[in-house]
Amino acid sequence: MGDKLTIALLRRAEALERQHELRHTNALEELAVKIVNLRSERAEHPHRSK
């Protein structure tokens, strides 16, 4: 029974690790989208103060 518990815990840890990597990737993608949006806003409104 100990082996089954160990395997379950390892699988859970791996799943959490993948989930964390996915969240990290999503955060980077959101940041990239914000940067692109800011750049396009500045291009549309060049006289607006920064």
Side-chain angles (χ1 to χ4, degrees):
M1 183 152 173
D3 288 341
K4 284 185 179 178
L5 181 60
T6 303
I7 290 168
L9 287 172
L10 283 171
R11 286 188 179 151
R12 182 71 181 135
E14 287 173 357
L16 285 171
E17 203 171 284
R18 280 195 300 272
Q19 195 177 11
H20 181 71
E21 288 171 7
L22 188 64
R23 266 201 299 268
H24 194 64
T25 301
N26 288 343
L28 288 173
E29 287 173 357
E30 287 173 19
L31 187 61
V33 167
K34 286 179 184 175
I35 291 169
V36 169
N37 288 341
L38 281 172
R39 283 184 178 167
S40 64
E41 277 182 30
R42 283 188 185 168
E44 290 173 17
H45 308 284
H47 300 297
R48 184 180 287 178
S49 61
K50 294 182 183 175

